[in-house]
Amino acid sequence: MAKKTTLQFKEGTSDKTYEIWLEATPSGKSYKVNFAYGRTGGNLKAGTKTPRAVALEKAEEVFGKLVAEKKKKGYKAKRGKAPAKKVAKKKKWRP
């Protein structure tokens, strides 16, 4: 995994986790920006912000924008080692 961040939002009874990571294609020449979200400690729902693999520079740009967007909504970098239970399985990327 090239890059990963875990963000958390806590307010009132809300306790949410948002994970974002870059995933290299098998060739290692292009990347996808994936995410998973859900209640902290529960199963996370996974998705992608880049349906097709893109160059590393573009993937990092998408990654940065997504992190900034979530932080603007009140998410903060998660500290500690207590991850959410697991990410729902998603299909492997195939060119």
Side-chain angles (χ1 to χ4, degrees):
M1 200 173 314
K3 191 175 193 179
K4 180 179 180 178
T5 190
T6 301
L7 304 171
Q8 191 169 27
F9 179 83
K10 281 187 168 187
E11 186 174 275
T13 59
S14 183
D15 186 359
K16 302 183 277 187
T17 296
Y18 201 98
E19 297 178 353
I20 308 163
W21 67 94
L22 296 183
E23 180 181 337
T25 59
S27 70
K29 295 181 180 179
S30 53
Y31 295 81
K32 293 183 82 176
V33 180
N34 297 321
F35 64 90
Y37 65 94
R39 186 154 182 81
T40 301
N43 292 334
L44 301 180
K45 295 178 185 175
T48 185
K49 287 291 181 178
T50 50
R52 294 179 182 245
V54 296
L56 178 59
E57 296 79 23
K58 179 65 177 173
E60 287 179 335
E61 179 184 329
V62 173
F63 182 97
K65 284 182 181 180
L66 185 54
V67 170
E69 176 186 311
K70 292 299 169 186
K71 285 185 174 182
K72 189 175 180 181
K73 291 182 178 181
Y75 282 81
K76 295 181 181 176
K78 187 173 181 178
R79 291 182 166 71
K81 290 190 175 187
K85 282 187 180 173
K86 64 181 178 179
V87 175
K89 286 188 175 185
K90 66 175 197 150
K91 294 179 182 177
K92 283 193 173 188
W93 180 82
R94 291 195 175 127

